[in-house]
Amino acid sequence: MKKILSLPFLVILLFSCSKEFLDRKPLDFASPETYLTGENQAEILLNGVYNKIDFGNTGDVYQMVYPFILDVMSDNAYDYSVWEGATDFARGQVSADNFRVGWKWDGNYQGIARANAFLEAIAKKTDLVSDKIPRFIAEAKFLRAYFYNDLITFFGDVPLILTSGNLDDAQPSRTPKADVVTQILKDIDDAIPVLPLKYVDSKDQGRITKGAALALKARILLYQSRWEAAAAAAKACMDLNVYSLFPDYRGLFLEKNEDAVTASEAVLQVYYTPITNPSFFNTPLMAWWPSYLPTLQLVNSYYMANGLPITDPNSGYDPENPFMDRDPRFAASIYYPGQSMKLAMWGYTADTVRFEHLGIMGLGGFKPRKWINEGLVDINNTEGTNKLFIRYAEVLLTYAEAKNEASGPDASVYAAIDQLRNRVGMTTLSAAMSGLTKDKMREVIRNERRIELAFEGLRFPDIQRWKIGPQVMVNTLGLDAAYLKTYKYPGDHQGITADWSYVTKVIDTRSFNPSRDYLWPIPRKEINSNKKMVQNPYYD
C-alpha cells in the first residue's frame, strides 16, 4: 500500500524542529518559501505536515503502538510493563517527566509548526499557479485543527500559535481552551467546502476528504458537549453517502482487507507498507509481552448476542460459560481462556491451539485480538497494517450520542446503533431494548462506544468528557490463572470443572484524582524553558 506519509529527507530539513515545540529556521537550510517553486514541491511540504498524524518513520516500538497505548491508560486495559510509559497514567502517578507526555506535546506542536510554515509559504508565493493550491491549504488547515484538538483533549488550555517560529514570541502563554476550539472550528469550516468527496488518483489515497473534515468536526463538537451541532456535523457526513460499514468486524482490522475498508469505512487512516515502512504493532499487542492486557471490566461490558447486558436476568448469561453467546465483537476483539486460534507467528501453523497455551494466562487471562493478523509469520518486517484514526462507525456513534443528548432517543438514534449490531449479526437495539428513556439510552450508547471502539485510543477522552473517572478508574480485575489449568478446558458450553473455573483477582491497584487526572501534565521541559507556561493543577 502506498503511504503518503513516507517522505524524503528534504522535508525533514525544511521542517527542522528545535528542543521546544516551536520550530526554528536554521540559516543553513532552505526555507519553505525558497523551496516552494511549484505544485510538486508544495505537495512534498504538505506531506511533511501529514507525517505528524502518527509516529511514522520510527524504529521505536513504544511510539509505533500509538494510539492503542491510550487504552492502557483507561479502564480497558492494563500494562504490566511499567517501562513502556503508560502504567502510571492509570495509577494516577504520571509525572511531567513521562516520555509519552513529551511525545504527544512535541508531535502535535511539530505538526502545527509545519502547517503554519506551509500556509505562510503558500500565502507569500503569489506567483504559484495551480488548481490544487486551494485544496492543499484546506488539507493543512484540517491537519492543524486535528493537532490542536488532540492537544486540548489531553492538556486543556494550550498556546495557540498560528504563525511559524518567531523568536520575539518564543515563550507564549496558554490560550483558553474555548478560544482554541474557536480557531479549530474555523480551520475546519474553511476546509470543508474545498475538500473533495474522494480522490480519483490512487496516489492520493489517504489524503483528507470532505467526509474526514465533517467527521473531525463532529468529534470536536461532541467533545465540547455541543450536542445539536455535533449531531448535524455527523449527519452531514452520513448524508454524503460515501461511507458504509465494512461487513466483517474482525476483518475490518486486517491488512488483507485494506482496499475494501478504504472504499467503505475508513474516514481517516495512516498507510503502512510491509518491508519499506512496516507498522509493527502485532508483536507488542499479541506477543509474550505483558502489555495491553484487556481488563475483566472491559470483558464484562460486552452484551450477550441477544442484545442484553450480562446483568439483565433475561440475557441468558451463564457465569460457568461466561464467554459463550456474547456480542460477536467480543471474540473478534479479545483472546479469552479456552479460545481456539491459529498463530503463524510462533509456528502454530498446523494445529489449532488454545489461548491459555501461550503462557500469559497469569497476567489476567486476556489479550487483544483486534488488529492481530494470525497468519503473519515475519512480524518484524512484513506487517503493513494501516491504522484507522477515524472510521464511519465512530460517526454513527457520535450522531447517536449527540442526537440523544440534544432531543432524546428517537428512531434515528436507534437506527444508528442498529447498523453496528446488524454488521455483527446480533439482535438490534430496536428489538432488544425498545422504548428506552434518554438516561438509559445514554448508558447504552456509552457502552456501545466502549466495545465498538476498543483498542482504538478513544476510551480515555470519553472518560474525560463524561467525567466518570472515579467510577471506572478503580482496581483492575482479571482472572486467576491458578484456576485455569492448561489443557484442562472442558469445552465450549461445558461449564466449569475442578481444574477450570473463573475466579476474579485484582491485577492492578489504581487511583484517580478528579481534580488532576482528567488532564495530563505539561511536559517538564516546557515548564522549565518557558516562564509563562503554567502547569496543570496538582502536577507541581
Side-chain angles (χ1 to χ4, degrees), residues 305-325:
N306 61 16
L308 298 175
I310 65 173
T311 54
D312 190 312
N314 297 314
S315 70
Y317 174 72
D318 180 2
E320 293 194 0
N321 294 280
F323 311 128
M324 301 297 101
D325 304 320

Side-chain angles (χ1 to χ4, degrees), residues 112 228 252 273:
I112 290 164
E228 291 185 358
L252 171 63
T273 308

Side-chain angles (χ1 to χ4, degrees), residues 218 221-222 226-232 234 396-408 413 438 445 465:
L221 292 166
L222 186 79
R226 295 169 61 172
W227 307 120
E228 291 185 358
L396 294 174
L397 287 162
T398 294
Y399 175 81
E401 180 180 352
K403 185 68 173 176
N404 183 62
E405 295 297 339
S407 56
V413 175
K438 181 178 181 178
I445 292 172
R465 63 191 181 87

Side-chain angles (χ1 to χ4, degrees), residues 82 105 123 147 167 169 204 206 232-233 240 249 264 281 327 361 416 437 459 469 508 512 516 524:
V82 295
W105 180 276
F147 300 136
L167 291 176
D169 188 24
D204 290 325
L240 293 176
Y249 184 79
S264 57
F281 55 78
D327 176 339
M361 286 296 297
T437 64
R459 179 62 175 172
D508 190 40
F512 190 90
R516 177 194 63 205
R524 181 89 60 200

